[in-house]
Amino acid sequence: MLIRDTLVWPTLMITVLVPCPVSAQVNTESLRASEEEPGFSGALGFDLAARAGNVEIVQLGFSGRLDYVGDRATTFLIGR
């Protein structure tokens, strides 16, 4: 099946050709770091899970966090 035969192509064209402003408010209180020392801080994580049975499954997971506490603002970037 070609991409133009599905609803993906018209939806993509409408999204590209008819831009409209979008806003969202996200509650990030649970993601806030407990330490408020000035400067950069961060963390990296790695998860590995393997299961064997009728089906063998291997799952990999990465996570990271980068925080910057400045004089006027606190900025953070989180990836899971």
Side-chain angles (χ1 to χ4, degrees), residues 24-55:
Q25 183 174 353
V26 179
N27 185 1
T28 59
E29 285 298 317
S30 64
L31 303 174
R32 183 183 293 264
S34 60
E35 297 181 15
E36 292 290 331
E37 296 181 15
F40 283 97
S41 63
L44 291 174
F46 173 75
D47 297 318
L48 172 65
R51 297 181 186 156
N54 292 341
V55 178

Side-chain angles (χ1 to χ4, degrees), residues 1 3 14-15 21-22 30 33 38 47 51-52 59-61 63 71 76:
M1 180 181 292
I3 192 168
I14 290 171
T15 303
V22 177
S30 64
D47 297 318
R51 297 181 186 156
Q59 294 177 328
L60 298 173
S63 63
D71 295 333
F76 61 92

